[in-house]
Amino acid sequence: MTDAHDHAIDDETLEAEALRDIAEVPAIEVITTTAVHLMSAAAVKCGLADDPSLETDLDEARKLITALAGLVTASAPFLGDQHARSLRDGLRSLQLAFREASPIQDAPGEGPGEKYTGPVS
């Protein structure tokens, strides 16, 4: 049986290892991994997953797509053309999927993330 002191030391060790691990990860990898997580979550919320009737939530999708647009727009100059282009393509696909799933169309330039990307059609 472990006591509270041993548990606290284990937590400190794990935290120190996690900090060291994160320090070794290049910024581009952190940005692209975050973008992929946002894309995946937004796709599910746009109804592009296994059970759209249960998983579609356009309010949540709007938030995720807008966050993704901000991240992609702000980080594009640092990512290089290949990475930035892929992220922009994924973002645009999600914006179009949102538009298709939405029963009420946003005005041009008012859709999710369009504040950062401009109108998507």
Side-chain angles (χ1 to χ4, degrees), residues 63-79:
K63 294 170 189 171
L64 292 162
I65 294 169
T66 300
L68 176 63
L71 176 64
V72 170
T73 301
S75 62
F78 308 107
L79 296 178

Side-chain angles (χ1 to χ4, degrees), residues 26-33 35-36 39 68 71-73 75-92:
I28 290 175
E29 189 174 330
V30 173
I31 293 166
T32 55
T33 300
V36 168
M39 283 182 187
L68 176 63
L71 176 64
V72 170
T73 301
S75 62
F78 308 107
L79 296 178
D81 188 53
Q82 182 179 0
H83 291 291
R85 187 178 319 122
S86 297
L87 293 177
R88 280 192 203 105
D89 289 346
L91 170 59
R92 182 174 183 278

Side-chain angles (χ1 to χ4, degrees), residues 40-117:
S40 298
V44 169
K45 298 298 183 180
C46 281
L48 301 175
D50 294 336
D51 195 351
S53 63
L54 293 176
E55 298 167 337
T56 301
D57 184 336
L58 296 179
D59 183 52
E60 290 291 301
R62 180 181 296 276
K63 294 170 189 171
L64 292 162
I65 294 169
T66 300
L68 176 63
L71 176 64
V72 170
T73 301
S75 62
F78 308 107
L79 296 178
D81 188 53
Q82 182 179 0
H83 291 291
R85 187 178 319 122
S86 297
L87 293 177
R88 280 192 203 105
D89 289 346
L91 170 59
R92 182 174 183 278
S93 294
L94 286 167
Q95 288 171 311
L96 293 172
F98 180 93
R99 185 177 300 275
E100 188 174 311
S102 182
I104 301 170
Q105 297 301 305
D106 292 314
E110 298 295 318
E114 290 182 359
K115 170 182 176 181
Y116 303 106
T117 64

